[in-house]
Structure formats: C-alpha cells, structure tokens
C-alpha cells in the first residue's frame, strides 16, 4: 500500500473507518448474547438497589426503636448481689438518652435494707449489633456486646473482675408495651451451674 501523503485524505479515511467500526458495534449490541447480558446487568443493578434500600430501612428501624427508650423512667424490681444471696426489693429511677445510633441509660436502685447502687449502660448501635459498657455489679466497668431481636436487646456481659465464679453474664434491655421497659441480668450459679436471675427491674415512663 502506498503511503498516504495528503492529510485531508488521511482524515477522511480515519473517519470512514471509525464510522464503519461504530456500525459494527451497533450491530453487535443487537445480538442475542448482548441482550442476555443486558438482562443480567439489569438484574444485578436491581439487586444492588434493593440491598441499599434494605440497609437504609434497617438503619431507620434501629433509630426508631432506640428513640422509644428515651426519657425518664421509674419502677421496682428485685436484685441479688450474688447468685446465692437473698433477693432484695428495690426502687429505681433512670434517665435514658437515645438517638439514631446510641443509648445511654443512667440511674440508681435503692432498697429498704440500705442497698443503693448506681446502674448505667452505654451502648453504640451499628445496624442491629450493639457494643458498650455497663456499671452495676460493684466490680468496675463491664463490657457489653450483642444484638437486638424484636423489642429486646440481648447482651453478653464481661465483668471487670470475677462475679459468681467467672466474668460472664447476660443482660436484656426490653421494651414492654407502649411505655414500659424491663432490665434483666442473668448469671450462672458456680455451685449448681444453673442460670439465676440476679436482677429484674420493671420500669414505666414517668
């Protein structure tokens, strides 16, 4: 092939090739394989969009749940200092601050037998997973971690020091009815190996 010496002729040839290539591409896009590929891509986009929407809805639902726990609360319940100790009846007051991703529950429980204890739980939410800290056993700040299912946040407690023979227990923060909240802690008796409710406090919004 003779070399192209005229710049105008070279540009015309380039444009012609480009147009021809475009026509080929357009014919390829009308093929059955490309049609199937486009369907697959459309499905993938739909699934991704649905996942994003579901994630946003989950976050919105968590925010709505946490806000129902905000406010001032008061009520009564029972407390056992240790699994083998006598059960005491207590009166409690709490203040709860909540927003879209956190819950801070602070209060005090007292008994006629001169029992008085500050109780607090501070939680951060990531979806339905919660982490945070708890004060209430008299052994320092404990770690919390767990998830919410329905109206209850179920948490594993890791005490700062041994309580009832080990450093593990469970806590549940549960919304009851339109204006109620229940706080429950459960530990294992080191002698029998049985689960014992060490505190159960029924609160009403005040």
């Amino acid at each position: 092939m003779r070399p192209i010496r005229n710049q105008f002729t070279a540009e015309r040839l380039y444009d012609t090739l480009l147009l021809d290539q475009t026509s080929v591409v357009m014919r390829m896009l009308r093929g059955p394989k490309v049609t199937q590929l486009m369907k697959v891509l459309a499905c993938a986009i739909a699934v991704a969009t649905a996942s994003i929407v579901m994630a946003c809805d989950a976050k919105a639902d968590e925010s709505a749940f946490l806000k129902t726990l905000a406010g001032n609360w008061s009520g009564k319940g029972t407390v056992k200092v240790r699994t083998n100790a006598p059960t005491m009846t207590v009166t409690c007051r709490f203040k709860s601050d909540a927003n879209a991703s956190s819950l801070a529950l602070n209060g005090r429980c007292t008994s006629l037998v001169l029992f008085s204890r500050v109780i607090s739980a501070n939680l951060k939410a990531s979806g339905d997973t919660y982490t945070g800290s708890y004060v209430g056993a008299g052994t320092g700040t404990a770690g919390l971690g767990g998830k919410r299912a329905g109206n209850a946040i179920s948490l594993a407690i890791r005490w700062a020091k041994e309580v009832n023979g080990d450093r593990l227990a469970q806590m549940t923060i549960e919304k009851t009815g339109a204006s109620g909240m229940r706080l429950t802690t459960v530990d294992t008796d080191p002698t029998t190996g049985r689960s014992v409710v060490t505190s159960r406090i029924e609160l009403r919004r005040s």
Side-chain angles (χ1 to χ4, degrees):
M1 180 183 292
R2 292 188 303 170
I4 301 173
R5 301 182 182 277
N6 186 290
Q7 181 178 357
F8 176 76
T9 303
E11 291 175 353
R12 289 293 301 274
L13 178 59
Y14 175 79
D15 291 342
T16 302
L17 289 173
L18 183 61
L19 290 173
D20 288 345
Q21 185 66 22
T22 304
S23 299
V24 171
V25 171
M26 293 303 294
R27 286 197 300 273
M28 289 175 63
L29 288 176
R30 289 196 290 268
K33 290 186 178 180
V34 174
T35 302
Q36 184 64 26
L37 177 60
M38 295 301 290
K39 289 181 180 180
V40 172
L41 289 174
C43 290
I45 292 171
V47 170
T49 303
S51 298
I52 293 171
V53 172
M54 289 175 65
C56 292
D57 288 345
K59 185 174 181 180
D61 289 344
E62 208 60 25
S63 172
F65 173 76
L66 285 171
K67 289 179 180 178
T68 65
L69 301 179
N72 295 314
W73 303 80
S74 60
K76 294 184 177 182
T78 59
V79 169
K80 293 170 72 72
V81 177
R82 294 292 183 269
T83 55
N84 59 354
T87 300
M88 296 179 290
T89 300
V90 294
T91 300
C92 306
R93 290 185 178 277
F94 286 88
K95 177 178 174 56
S96 177
D97 295 313
N99 57 36
S101 60
S102 68
L103 173 68
L105 189 63
N106 297 282
R108 179 181 291 273
C109 290
T110 59
S111 172
L112 293 177
V113 294
L114 301 180
F115 170 87
S116 180
R117 181 165 290 176
V118 171
I119 297 174
S120 67
N122 291 278
L123 296 169
K124 293 286 186 182
S126 177
D128 62 353
T129 300
Y130 288 78
T131 56
S133 60
Y134 171 68
V135 174
T139 59
T141 302
L144 294 175
K147 290 191 173 186
R148 177 173 74 90
N151 287 329
I153 305 172
S154 298
L155 301 159
I157 305 173
R158 183 167 180 81
W159 303 119
K161 299 178 181 179
E162 281 195 3
V163 178
N164 298 310
D166 60 23
R167 296 177 60 184
L168 303 177
Q170 294 82 42
M171 170 186 285
T172 304
I173 301 174
E174 183 180 4
K175 183 177 182 296
T176 57
S179 57
M181 179 165 53
R182 179 184 298 123
L183 309 178
T184 308
T185 58
V186 178
D187 210 338
T188 302
D189 187 288
T191 303
T192 64
R194 295 180 179 179
S195 295
V196 176
V197 175
T198 51
S199 70
R200 177 174 285 145
I201 303 166
E202 301 283 351
L203 301 168
R204 302 291 293 178
R205 199 187 305 273
S206 58

